[in-house]
Amino acid sequence: MSGGGLLVAGTTSDAGKSVVTAGICRWLVRQGVKVAPFKAQNMSLNSFVTREGAEIGRAQAMQAQACRVEPTALMNPVLLKPGGERSSQVVLLGKPVGEMSARGYHGGRQQRLLGTVLDCLERLRGTYDAVICEGAGSPAEINLRRTDIVNMGIARGAGLPVLVVGDIDRGGVFASFFGTVALLSPEDQKLVAGFLVNKFRGDVSLLEPGLDMLHGLTGRRTYGVLPFRHGLGIDEEDGLRVSLRGTVRESVVAAPVGEDVLRVAVCAVPLMSNFTDVDALAAEPGVVVRFVDRPEELADADLVVVPGTRGTVRALEWLRERGLADALKRRAAEGRPVLGICGGFQVLGEHIEDDVESRRGQVNGLGVLPVRVRFAREKTLTRPTGEALGEPVEGYEIHHGVAEVLGGDTFLDGCRVGQTWGTHWHGSLESDGFRRAFLREVARAAGRRFVPAPDTSFAALREEQLDRLGDLIEQHADTDALWRLIESGAPQGLPFIPPGAPA
């Protein structure tokens, strides 16, 4: 017998689907329900490697953590990793299967994957009491409905009830809710059970008359009103849209333990991937993290991070165009700390031979690390463990580039020359002891009287964050009604709202 299920859709991208999905998952697991997350198709540059060596969206890995289960490829069978405005790498069941244009993917390949994603979902439902699915964008994207496998396509295929999330902080939430339903076919509308308001500020009693009117117009109830909360940032899906101004997260800034703060500048390279690597730095009291795109913004930075990217050669060109390449080389020569991660590690090397990603052949790197990189067709997907700076470290690797290290001191799988560090390992800074040791090195080199907090646990902070999401659902949603949806499906007799989907 298959377990229950629910599809969390949204009126728009970034309406809060990932947060709500994680919150429902954490609420359910605290009730003793065996639950798993699922997203049929994800477009993201932030990914994760499962223990079996499969690449999935990082948001689904976070949601698995909310469920207190190990993430697997079944939870995100299709991952699209943008390589530009019009093409993406297609990752199927955790392994890359090629590059494809948006037209080619939506023109036929996507629809052929429906059977695969439904099979993955059914396998999860056969193992878990409940599977909470996340949609993508909006279910009312009428130009894409014919080939949809992530919103109403998966809901129809698996008979899932649908909860539509709307971000009221953006405005227009009532029109968005109504319009979303009214642009769906009668068959799709039968599965849309109701709505969930996200990011509400103020007195809920002022909103209730509108919710009553929405119920009268659509015959569908609102299952909860979630208040606006700062500091609920979770692993982002989209590496293409990162604010270049401000900090990584809206977290409460704790006072530094030492006399000084430590300033970290992250180069916002094109197609930035796994920029979540710096979240562990931002979680440290007294560490200030910002994204930058100008060389003058490196001047007061104690540490510069060159993050991962899905376009290493393009990122190298961007660094040169912006004047950041020269600034990085000056920093390295002056012994000021620089950390390159994955693609960022590759650009710091002597040269790159790329006949796979950019197909540009041999390209000169910045030459600050004695490393030569050759792009292999097969992608490296591993979960390495090791030791650095006298501390145990865990990480994960996602890259086509194979590095030949020709000198310097050993650092994880890469090397270190002076205060320039490079590694392919994502997630290494989440290892608390290593992170503290690394920050002490950076502070010493930068001449800062910064002291890492002795008790910051990134894993504990992540657990607290997930519990806060569970609290939001438990305290501000009708959980009894949500469970009935998950267990029994959409209510019978939901009215059709014209005009419906165009022919």
Side-chain angles (χ1 to χ4, degrees):
M1 179 178 172
S2 293
L6 174 70
L7 176 71
V8 179
T11 55
T12 62
S13 295
D14 204 31
K17 297 183 290 292
S18 295
V19 168
V20 169
T21 300
I24 293 174
C25 287
R26 179 46 62 100
W27 159 67
L28 284 171
V29 82
R30 293 194 308 206
Q31 309 309 307
V33 177
K34 189 180 179 186
V35 59
F38 180 79
K39 186 162 185 173
Q41 173 192 294
N42 198 346
M43 177 172 280
S44 178
L45 286 170
N46 284 333
S47 58
F48 183 76
V49 179
T50 67
R51 292 214 179 276
E52 70 266 30
E55 185 179 8
I56 66 170
R58 189 158 172 110
Q60 278 60 65
M62 176 276 303
Q63 290 162 355
Q65 188 175 348
C67 298
R68 298 180 180 143
V69 298
E70 191 66 35
T72 73
L74 293 177
M75 296 171 184
N76 178 207
V78 182
L79 173 64
L80 305 178
K81 302 193 73 174
E85 295 298 321
R86 296 187 179 183
S87 68
S88 293
Q89 183 181 65
V90 180
V91 179
L92 180 61
L93 293 173
K95 303 296 180 184
V97 294
E99 296 278 335
M100 188 165 287
S101 69
R103 181 181 290 275
Y105 182 70
H106 289 287
R109 178 63 183 269
Q110 182 184 39
Q111 195 172 28
R112 292 197 296 273
L113 293 173
L114 181 60
T116 299
V117 300
L118 285 171
D119 177 64
C120 291
L121 175 56
E122 193 55 36
R123 288 169 65 185
L124 288 174
R125 293 179 77 181
T127 306
Y128 292 88
D129 301 329
V131 178
I132 307 303
C133 307
E134 181 187 343
S138 162
E141 291 169 348
I142 53 179
N143 56 316
L144 302 177
R145 175 62 186 92
R146 183 178 62 82
T147 59
D148 169 52
I149 65 169
V150 67
N151 290 306
M152 299 314 298
I154 196 80
R156 283 267 292 280
L160 296 174
V162 179
L163 185 69
V164 180
V165 178
D167 180 353
I168 198 169
D169 197 50
R170 294 182 171 188
V173 76
F174 291 117
S176 297
F177 281 147
F178 183 87
T180 296
V181 179
L183 281 176
L184 300 178
S185 69
E187 294 78 14
D188 286 351
Q189 287 193 24
K190 287 177 183 177
L191 295 172
V192 179
F195 313 107
L196 188 76
V197 176
N198 192 28
K199 296 187 183 178
F200 179 72
R201 305 173 191 251
D203 186 343
V204 174
S205 66
L206 298 176
L207 186 66
E208 286 171 349
L211 300 179
D212 292 339
M213 286 184 265
L214 182 67
H215 185 269
L217 287 165
T218 66
R220 290 159 174 85
R221 56 168 299 179
T222 298
Y223 284 77
V225 178
L226 308 186
F228 189 99
R229 289 284 188 268
H230 285 284
L232 287 181
I234 56 172
D235 294 354
E236 304 286 352
E237 289 192 346
D238 194 349
L240 294 174
R241 297 180 189 143
V242 176
S243 170
L244 301 185
R245 304 287 173 259
T247 57
V248 180
R249 295 285 181 262
E250 298 176 322
S251 54
V252 176
V253 179
V257 175
E259 296 178 43
D260 289 344
V261 298
L262 209 62
R263 295 173 175 83
V264 179
V266 184
C267 296
V269 296
L271 299 174
M272 182 165 30
S273 61
N274 287 66
F275 58 86
T276 46
D277 280 331
V278 297
D279 282 358
L281 295 179
E284 282 284 350
V287 175
V288 181
V289 179
R290 66 183 190 271
F291 292 102
V292 303
D293 62 348
R294 297 194 299 255
E296 56 268 26
E297 293 175 298
L298 305 189
D300 67 343
D302 302 307
L303 169 67
V304 174
V305 177
V306 188
T309 171
R310 247 281 280 157
T312 301
V313 171
R314 181 175 168 188
L316 189 55
E317 292 171 342
W318 182 87
L319 290 168
R320 287 185 168 123
E321 290 164 2
R322 296 270 174 158
L324 286 160
D326 289 338
L328 287 167
K329 287 192 281 189
R330 281 196 301 273
R331 281 188 71 91
E334 293 165 2
R336 302 179 66 199
V338 175
L339 171 63
I341 302 174
C342 200
F345 166 42
Q346 295 167 7
V347 304
L348 296 176
E350 295 174 359
H351 71 245
I352 298 164
E353 188 178 328
D354 180 12
D355 295 317
V356 176
E357 194 175 74
S358 68
R359 298 181 176 87
R360 295 281 297 276
Q362 187 164 308
V363 178
N364 289 330
L366 299 187
V368 295
L369 286 178
V371 174
R372 295 174 183 171
V373 176
R374 176 186 56 81
F375 273 65
R377 298 209 171 272
E378 184 146 344
K379 184 184 282 191
T380 297
L381 296 167
T382 63
R383 291 271 292 269
T385 59
E387 184 178 296
L389 302 179
E391 298 286 347
V393 191
E394 296 182 5
Y396 56 99
E397 295 186 52
I398 307 170
H399 54 90
H400 285 280
V402 178
E404 182 187 4
V405 178
L406 302 172
D409 297 323
T410 300
F411 175 62
L412 302 176
D413 72 326
C415 66
R416 168 190 181 181
V417 174
Q419 290 300 322
T420 302
W421 316 64
T423 177
H424 274 131
W425 289 25
H426 293 291
S428 63
L429 294 167
E430 295 178 19
S431 298
D432 298 325
F434 165 71
R435 182 179 65 253
R436 287 192 277 270
F438 177 69
L439 290 175
R440 282 192 290 269
E441 286 266 347
V442 169
R444 188 159 46 245
R448 297 287 184 192
R449 288 171 294 184
F450 168 85
V451 178
D455 55 356
T456 301
S457 166
F458 186 76
L461 290 172
R462 174 57 56 84
E463 277 296 302
E464 289 173 17
Q465 190 179 46
L466 293 171
D467 276 331
R468 290 179 68 196
L469 297 181
D471 292 344
L472 270 183
I473 298 298
E474 191 168 329
Q475 296 167 12
H476 300 284
D478 186 339
T479 52
D480 288 341
L482 271 181
W483 177 245
R484 285 194 297 273
L485 270 187
I486 293 166
E487 195 174 36
S488 305
Q492 296 296 307
L494 292 169
F496 171 70
I497 308 302

